[in-house]
Structures are given as C-alpha cells and as structure tokens.
Amino acid sequence: QVQLVESGGGLVQAGGSLTLSCTGSGTPHTFKSMGWYRQAPGKQREMVAIISKDGTSDYADSVKGRFAISRANGENTVHLQMNSLKPEDTAVYYCYAVLFLSYYRGTYYPEGKDVDYWGQGTQVTVSS
C-alpha cells in the first residue's frame, strides 16, 4: 500500500523558514511527480509546488522566489524549503504524488494510468 509521510511543519514567525519533507513508500516504482498542496481555513486546496521525475518544477505565483522544491534523482522523497514566510502561508500542507501504472486494482491500462496519492497533511502556522 502506497503511503506518503510528511514531516517538518510547525510554528514560525513571519520572515522565518521551514523545511517540509515527504517520503513515499509501498511501491517499487519512482513517482512520476511529487509535490505539495496547501489548504487554508475556508479556502480551496491549492498547488504550491510540483517536481517531476526529470527535475522539472512548477510553483504557485504566490511562492515563487521564496519556496524551493527539491528531489534527488530516482528518490521517492521530496523537500520543500520555505523562506520569507508570511502569515498568508498558514495552512495545512499536503504531500502529493503521482504514479504512472499499467496495472491498477486488477485492471490493465495499455496506455497507462496516473494514480494520485496524498499524505495526511502537516500544519504550518506563520505568526505576524
């Protein structure tokens, strides 16, 4: 069973830094992509940063220049370095990963299928 386990959340003052980490287990495959989403109270979940297996990354405009996502080649571990944190960064941060599979739940997909996985979330609170 695939699991994503996050660590590194906590409370920090505005302007401070935190690093989130997420490790995936339960699969012999390398995740096609890994990343982070966040959800603040009363708001929809939004993408924060994503990195693909080949190292291509994408960021939400609100975090560009402040956050950096990293992932070692072939590893199912992803890190999010968050600098210059703002109170509006306060949210539950969820690790996200995608596996590209030919077989899933007993069904063969000749063109492959993307299967999404989520971590349980870690709270990040930035005080002003």
Side-chain angles (χ1 to χ4, degrees), residues 35-124:
W36 297 89
Y37 281 67
R38 67 186 181 187
Q39 187 167 20
K43 294 189 176 182
Q44 288 191 331
R45 190 174 295 190
E46 62 174 357
M47 189 274 288
V48 177
I50 293 286
I51 187 166
S52 65
K53 193 162 55 174
D54 66 2
T56 303
S57 60
D58 191 22
Y59 295 89
D61 288 343
S62 59
V63 307
K64 283 180 181 176
R66 300 188 298 122
F67 290 11
I69 192 168
S70 63
R71 179 184 178 188
N73 286 342
E75 297 285 331
N76 282 342
T77 296
V78 65
H79 306 284
L80 183 68
Q81 176 66 43
M82 304 185 292
N83 300 321
S84 302
L85 283 161
K86 304 175 181 179
E88 51 262 44
D89 294 317
T90 295
V92 177
Y93 284 69
Y94 296 91
C95 182
Y96 168 77
V98 179
L99 276 177
F100 184 71
L101 301 173
S102 298
Y103 285 92
Y104 180 63
R105 293 186 175 179
T107 301
Y108 173 63
Y109 295 89
E111 297 185 355
K113 175 182 175 60
D114 284 340
V115 180
D116 298 346
Y117 297 91
W118 294 90
Q120 62 183 16
T122 185
Q123 178 69 46
V124 172

Side-chain angles (χ1 to χ4, degrees), residues 5-22:
V5 179
E6 303 122 330
S7 62
L11 173 64
V12 64
Q13 288 189 330
S17 299
L18 279 176
T19 301
L20 303 182
S21 297
C22 172

